[in-house]
Every structure is written in C-alpha cells, then in structure tokens.
Amino acid sequence: MDLPRLETLPLKRGHRVLVRVDLNVPMTDGVIDADLRITTALPTIQWLREQRAVVVVAGHLGRPKGEVNLAESLGPVATHLGDLLGTEVVLAPGIFGPRVEPIVASTPPGEVVMLENLRFDPGEEACDPAFSANLSAGYDVYVNEAFGASHRAHASIVGPPETMPHAAGRLLVREVEVLSRLLDARDHPFVAVLGGAKVSDKLKVIEALLERCDSVLVGGAMAFTFLVAQGRSVGDSLVQPEMVDECARLLATGRVRIPSDVVIAREPSGDAEVRVVPAGAIPDGWKGLDIGPATAIAYGDEVEAAAAVLWNGPMGMFEVPPFDAGTRAVAEAVAHSDGFSVVGGGDSAAAIRQFGLADRVSHVSTGGGASLEFIERGDLPGLEALRHG
Ligand code: 3PG
Ligand code: MG
C-alpha cells in the first residue's frame, strides 16, 4: 500500500506540524504500565524535530466520552514523552482555542507540545467538521503516526488530511508493511493463533485468515463455543450460544484447531482447586480457564515449525497463575520460531512483554482492534484518509 511518506512533506523550519499519535497507553493510578505506543512514535517525532518543525502531538486516552475528566488527562503521558526525548513537553490546557494558541505560538522550532485528550471534546468521536476545522487551524502539515487508532473514523484521524499536506509516520508505515506481508500470505506454513473471550469479535478475522493460513489455532474462552459446536460438554465455561452454528461452519473447513485438553477450576482464582481434563469432559460447576498441557505442546510445535505466525489473544486467563501456562507456552513458541512472527496488540502484547519475550519476535503491533480490522479488510479509515485526502 502506497502511503505518503514524511520525506514528501513540504516542511520548512518553524512550520507547525500536527502529529496524531496513539497515546492511549495502559495506566494504573496515573502511572504508565507499558509505553510501547510512545517509544515506537519517537523516530517520527525526532525526525520532525530535526527538521526544526514545531511539533504538536495530539492523542486520546481512555474513553471520557466528550467530557473533561482530569483522571484521563494526558499530563503523565506528556511528562513521560519529555523524559524519553530529554526535553520538556508542555501539555496545553486544551485542544485548540485562545488558551492553546499562545503556547503553540511561543514554542521554538524543534520543540514539542502535547494537546490535551482529544476525547474531552465530543467533536472528536462524532467526527464533527467544526471540530476538525478548529483542530486543523494554524497547522502547516499533518502526520498520522497513530496506527492503533486508525480504525476509528474520528476527527483527528480523517479530518486534517482533507485540508493540509499530510504523511504517514514511520511506525504507521512499518505496521502496514508487516501486516500486508501476512495478508499477502507469502510464507508457508502460515499459522494463526487466536484467543480471547468472544468468537463474535474474531469471526471476521478468522474468515479472512482461513483464506490465507494453513491452520488457525483457537484458544481462550472462545474455544468453548467451538467445543459446543462439536457436541462436547463444557460445564460452566463461557459460551456464545448464538455463535455455535458459525463455529461449526468454520470447523468444517478442517483448518481450525481447537484444544484437546483444558485447565479447569470452579473459580478463576489462583488458590482454587485446578484440574486438567479432556476438552469435552468439563463437569458442571467447573469452567475452562486455560488450554491444557497437551494442547500447549501441540500448538507450540505447530507455531515453531511455521514460516509465518500471527498471534492475537491470550490462551487463558494469563493474568492469574496458574492459568497463564498456555499463553506462556504459545509466547515461547512464537519467540523461538525462526519464521516471521507478529504479535497483535492489546492483551497478547502485554503477555509477551510480561514473559520478557517481546524483543524475540519480528513485530509487536501497537494496534489491537486496528490490526484485526486491517487483516479483515486490508484497509483502515486512517489509511484511506492519507491516500485520498
Ligand atoms: C485502542 O487502544 O484500541 C486505540 O487507542 C483506540 O481506542 P478505542 O478502542 O477506545 O477507540
Ligand atoms: Mg480498543
């Protein structure tokens, strides 16, 4: 996919650049838990600084739903970005208007300002043209470096490219290259490992992957709906009854693999009594919380032998040991594979980081929903805006 590159921008010293970054990092009590989305945007920000542009970073945090909520202020993110860059990053007290404009105007070339959370204004998610116009006013160029938010047709993603010169940042270009390589299905065997709670969230992506993959290995709670489609007993495990027919249809392709054994407990607690049983023999009152050891070995072998692997979604409740073992086994297999290995964002990115294996894979995507939607349809609203704007 041809996206306009940074080098094509008509950029001059002192120009104001609006850079949309996915600043939506996981935080606990104002402390950033994982900064991959920030560190991966640094090369673009640094390049813009080297061009002596005034760099104005815009992003969202959480879902404040159009209201100012200081618990979701980008303050801690601005501070962290400043620490990473070794320069002060001032947080503007808003998104645009008379309190923001003087701050941008007084920022020297090569320095960085951050706008406050875009979702404090309802215009962002509503893609309100007036909000887009206000957001874009006074800037010379626009850069989209927010791969993780490019599946949202929100104002800051699709508005500015309509009115000013624009380009894709380095991370955005890399994400699209990596996922396009998987979509082209050049490397075989191509194995996808998919987990997560709901089949309904993954149905379209499984269909898209079945057109390209040699096998799709299913784990996580969604595996139980597949087991029900095979007429197995899943006890009190999570099931989406309305998806059973769809699961049967996917199984009929012969390329969807489901667990042969599972780890079960009555409660999802680390102190609960835990058993390993065949996947179809879960007693009432018990629920499946992880793939079993035989499944972990079988999935791991298939992953290690693959020429290309896509992993999205944990195999079990990996936050609560001992239900992390299946996810850990898959993470290790993905890390050990000599093939082209891609970890989809969100929980699987958190898991691979938790196990200390993030630098052993070809690419950890900064987009969860965005990477899935790109695989489903080969495009995203934010990419379309850059190509057609
Ligand atoms: C994400 O974290 O998935 C992106 O930043 C988009 O956020 P959203 O899912 O709240 O739209
Ligand atoms: Mg999301």
Side-chain angles (χ1 to χ4, degrees):
M1 175 182 295
D2 271 342
L3 295 172
R5 304 294 177 104
L6 290 178
E7 289 72 17
T8 65
L9 288 171
L11 203 53
K12 296 210 175 69
R13 182 192 162 87
H15 266 171
R16 292 176 179 187
V17 184
L18 180 66
V19 192
R20 177 59 161 101
V21 176
D22 192 347
L23 302 172
N24 194 22
V25 289
M27 291 212 303
T28 313
D29 300 330
V31 178
I32 297 170
D33 299 321
D35 65 354
L36 182 73
R37 286 178 163 175
I38 306 175
T39 55
T40 48
L42 291 175
T44 290
I45 294 172
Q46 288 292 36
W47 185 85
L48 292 167
R49 295 182 70 201
E50 282 158 20
Q51 312 310 304
R52 314 307 290 161
V54 172
V55 183
V56 181
V57 175
H60 76 274
L61 181 66
R63 294 178 173 169
K65 303 224 176 301
E67 278 169 27
V68 177
N69 169 8
L70 288 180
E72 289 176 301
S73 165
L74 281 169
V77 179
T79 305
H80 188 65
L81 177 61
D83 291 345
L84 292 169
L85 291 170
T87 186
E88 194 193 357
V89 172
V90 174
L91 179 75
I95 303 166
F96 47 72
R99 296 202 305 147
V100 174
E101 169 57 28
I103 292 175
V104 176
S106 64
T107 302
E111 291 303 319
V112 183
V113 177
M114 188 176 288
L115 303 179
E116 188 49 285
N117 194 338
L118 294 165
R119 291 189 183 173
F120 282 178
D121 190 310
E124 163 67 354
E125 290 184 75
C127 203
D128 173 6
F131 176 86
S132 282
N134 283 327
L135 176 66
S136 304
Y139 294 99
D140 300 290
V141 304
Y142 168 80
V143 173
N144 182 346
E145 187 60 311
F147 173 73
S150 287
H151 59 316
R152 307 290 184 211
H154 293 171
S156 65
I157 299 287
V158 299
E162 283 179 10
T163 57
M164 65 179 118
H166 51 270
R170 304 232 192 281
L171 169 67
L172 187 71
V173 169
R174 164 99 179 129
E175 293 269 14
V176 169
E177 270 171 11
V178 164
L179 295 172
S180 300
R181 176 165 165 185
L182 291 183
L183 278 184
D184 292 349
R186 271 182 268 157
D187 316 287
H188 289 276
F190 176 12
V191 174
V193 190
L194 295 180
K198 292 185 173 174
V199 190
S200 50
D201 289 347
K202 301 280 162 83
L203 182 69
K204 287 210 209 93
V205 84
I206 296 175
E207 284 171 337
L209 287 168
L210 280 171
E211 284 172 25
R212 298 169 171 91
C213 287
D214 300 280
S215 48
V216 175
L217 316 180
V218 174
M222 70 173 176
F224 299 106
T225 305
F226 283 91
L227 286 160
V228 169
Q230 284 194 331
R232 314 284 193 95
S233 309
V234 299
D236 289 4
S237 305
L238 207 66
V239 169
Q240 283 187 288
E242 71 285 6
M243 298 302 293
V244 169
D245 290 348
E246 296 283 7
C247 288
R249 188 171 58 75
L250 296 173
L251 286 168
T253 63
R255 278 177 296 124
V256 175
R257 311 243 186 291
I258 57 176
S260 61
D261 63 342
V262 286
V263 177
I264 60 169
R266 285 200 182 83
E267 291 307 324
S269 135
D271 329 315
E273 183 195 342
V274 169
R275 291 186 194 164
V276 175
V277 296
I282 308 177
D284 285 343
W286 292 72
K287 39 180 150 283
L289 295 166
D290 193 12
I291 57 173
T295 306
I297 290 173
Y299 283 11
D301 287 349
E302 224 174 307
V303 165
E304 280 193 46
V309 188
L310 170 67
W311 174 34
N312 184 296
M315 298 292 99
M317 212 180 225
F318 77 101
E319 308 89 335
V320 185
F323 311 115
D324 59 339
T327 304
R328 184 187 291 269
V330 164
E332 280 170 359
V334 174
H336 291 149
S337 150
D338 295 328
F340 184 62
S341 52
V342 180
V343 178
D347 282 343
S348 11
I352 198 124
R353 193 170 50 240
Q354 177 179 313
F355 303 136
L357 298 167
D359 52 5
R360 304 274 305 275
V361 298
S362 309
H363 183 72
V364 179
S365 178
T366 56
S371 61
L372 292 179
E373 187 172 326
F374 187 80
I375 287 167
E376 278 163 36
R377 55 177 207 95
D379 213 343
L380 298 175
L383 308 178
E384 286 162 339
L386 289 177
R387 295 199 311 278
H388 305 138

